[in-house]
Amino acid sequence: MADRGAVRSGAAAAAPALTLEDGARVGVVGGGPAGSFFSIFLLRMAESVGLDLSVDIHEPRFFTHRGPAGCNHCGGIVSESMVQMLAAEGIDLPPGVVRRGIDAYVLHTDLGNVRIRAPGAEKRIAAVYRGAGPRDLDGQVYQGLDGHLLRLALEKGARVIQDRVTAIDYGEDGRPRLGCRSTDPQAYDLVAVTVGVNSAALKLFEPLGLQYEPPETTKTFLREYYLGEGVVSETFGNAIQVFLLEIPRLEFGMLIPKAEYMTLCLLGEDIDKDLVQAFLDAPEVRRVLPPQLLADNFSCQCSPRINTIGAQHPYADRIVFIGDCSSTRLFKDGIGSAYRNAKVAASTAVFQGVSAADFEQYFLPACQ
């Protein structure tokens, strides 16, 4: 395993060699897609070079709970290219996770609309829920994406600690330590921070004096409407409706069909009740919505943040920030970003090292 410490050049050559050895412990803060992807890839790559690692995923949420308790506040679209990349990795999205296969986008503007079909003939764009579904899901629990990926990480050998991380520091030996509400601080050879911009856990790292700066963000608006599977199929079919309209403070809106529900997504400035109503009242939107829809008769709603500019210095010695750390396009590709960054971070940790210099040289370009 001597070849894992690659030859370094320039400023990185002076950095101390920090590598993962047999028996090393890795702590993952967050059990969403970034945390699960990182754990799966890290354990898979370590196995390929005969490296024995222990991986703890700290995740307090139960993704079997409906509504906010099991939700990651996300529109829930997995692109066709992402579905294909996951399949190539042996990570399939079963029918229980995919609430509707999407074969087209319909783009609406003030000048008209156009239908944009998926490149392939099959419905490979996936509309999903990150958790177990909206809060008023009567007598059912959906199989969410996050819970599915976390189970795959467990099958690969990771361990889930169902507790919230409440303290982070460096021990006397230079290793980061994670403290939880019900356990004493545990030292790790590497900590992967895979929480997103909506998590308060990022504030725990501020006292460490790292160079890390969180991503710049903006707020979005999500709302779930129960329409019934028949109405959803008849109204939307397998197409996502995208709206670029001349409405003050609105960047764009989306209507995403998911089994019995429709997800409304808005991106704009200071989104409030008046802006939501202005969008729903727009003629282009009214022509698409079922006539029986009542604007205030929704299942649940939230206003999460999304990142618009990536994090600065998302690494330190033995620490790497993965969740929501990249620059992303409009309304982001959060799941795709989590996959790509998690894989590069895992590769860096196993084959290069876990110093700040290693992550700067091998991981940072993927974020940018």
Side-chain angles (χ1 to χ4, degrees):
M1 284 178 282
D3 61 340
R4 289 190 293 112
V7 176
R8 301 172 178 85
S9 61
L18 298 177
T19 59
L20 296 178
E21 306 297 338
D22 268 333
R25 301 185 67 208
V26 178
V28 180
V29 183
S36 294
F37 283 140
F38 176 78
S39 301
I40 293 169
F41 291 133
L42 185 77
L43 290 166
R44 183 183 296 176
M45 293 174 185
E47 184 180 18
S48 73
V49 296
L51 181 62
D52 182 27
L53 299 179
S54 172
V55 177
D56 292 339
I57 302 175
H58 297 262
E59 175 52 67
R61 289 170 298 176
F62 292 90
F63 295 120
T64 55
H65 289 178
R66 300 192 299 266
C71 178
N72 246 332
H73 308 106
C74 172
I77 295 295
V78 183
S79 67
E80 180 183 29
S81 60
M82 186 72 254
V83 173
Q84 292 175 344
M85 284 190 287
L86 290 179
E89 298 282 0
I91 302 174
D92 293 322
L93 301 182
V97 171
V98 179
R99 301 315 305 164
R100 186 170 293 270
I102 301 298
D103 61 14
Y105 287 82
V106 180
L107 176 62
H108 302 264
T109 72
D110 301 279
L111 302 177
N113 63 73
V114 61
R115 189 178 189 90
I116 306 170
R117 292 196 172 275
E122 302 175 5
K123 302 185 188 75
R124 285 178 285 193
I125 301 170
V128 301
Y129 281 111
R130 298 283 299 277
R135 71 169 79 230
D136 67 347
L137 191 61
D138 187 21
Q140 299 184 62
V141 174
Y142 287 157
Q143 184 180 3
L145 176 69
D146 290 24
H148 173 66
L149 294 177
L150 189 58
R151 283 189 290 274
L152 295 181
L154 290 175
E155 292 173 5
K156 195 60 188 174
R159 180 175 71 130
V160 173
I161 298 177
Q162 206 87 47
D163 203 350
R164 187 180 303 280
V165 174
T166 57
I168 299 167
D169 63 9
Y170 275 107
E172 294 182 358
D173 60 358
R175 293 193 299 165
R177 303 188 307 171
L178 301 178
C180 297
R181 289 177 296 186
S182 58
T183 61
D184 294 329
Q186 299 290 312
Y188 290 97
D189 298 281
L190 171 65
V191 168
V193 187
T194 62
V195 296
V197 294
N198 292 291
S199 172
L202 292 177
K203 294 185 179 298
L204 298 175
F205 289 86
E206 293 177 358
L208 297 184
L210 307 181
Q211 289 184 290
Y212 171 77
E213 296 179 16
E216 293 185 17
T217 64
T218 186
K219 275 194 174 184
T220 61
F221 178 84
L222 302 176
R223 180 181 281 182
E224 299 287 343
Y225 285 99
Y226 177 83
L227 301 177
E229 189 164 4
V231 173
V232 172
S233 296
E234 180 180 348
T235 304
F236 303 105
N238 297 313
I240 295 173
Q241 312 291 319
V242 182
F243 299 85
L244 298 175
L245 306 175
E246 293 295 329
I247 297 177
R249 298 189 287 124
L250 181 69
E251 292 288 340
F252 78 95
M254 295 174 62
L255 302 177
I256 306 170
K258 297 177 184 175
E260 305 99 328
Y261 288 84
M262 175 200 74
T263 302
L264 163 67
C265 304
L266 299 180
L267 178 64
E269 181 181 348
D270 298 326
I271 300 175
D272 54 19
K273 185 175 182 180
D274 291 339
L275 181 54
V276 175
Q277 192 62 53
F279 172 78
L280 292 173
D281 288 340
E284 297 85 357
V285 178
R286 295 305 313 172
R287 283 195 291 267
V288 172
L289 292 173
Q292 67 269 35
L293 178 76
L294 299 177
D296 291 332
N297 189 21
F298 53 87
S299 303
C300 56
Q301 66 180 25
C302 61
S303 296
R305 291 189 173 275
I306 63 169
N307 55 309
T308 55
I309 298 178
Q312 302 298 309
H313 304 287
Y315 49 79
D317 283 347
R318 300 190 184 276
I319 295 177
V320 60
F321 294 82
I322 301 173
D324 282 347
C325 65
S326 294
S327 300
T328 52
R329 64 177 182 264
L330 194 62
F331 207 70
K332 75 173 185 172
D333 177 20
I335 297 169
S337 175
Y339 163 86
R340 289 184 288 270
N341 294 336
K343 189 171 185 179
V344 176
S347 176
T348 300
V350 171
F351 299 112
Q352 308 300 336
V354 294
S355 70
D358 292 316
F359 289 120
E360 180 177 12
Q361 183 173 357
Y362 299 102
F363 171 67
L364 183 60
C367 299
Q368 296 173 335

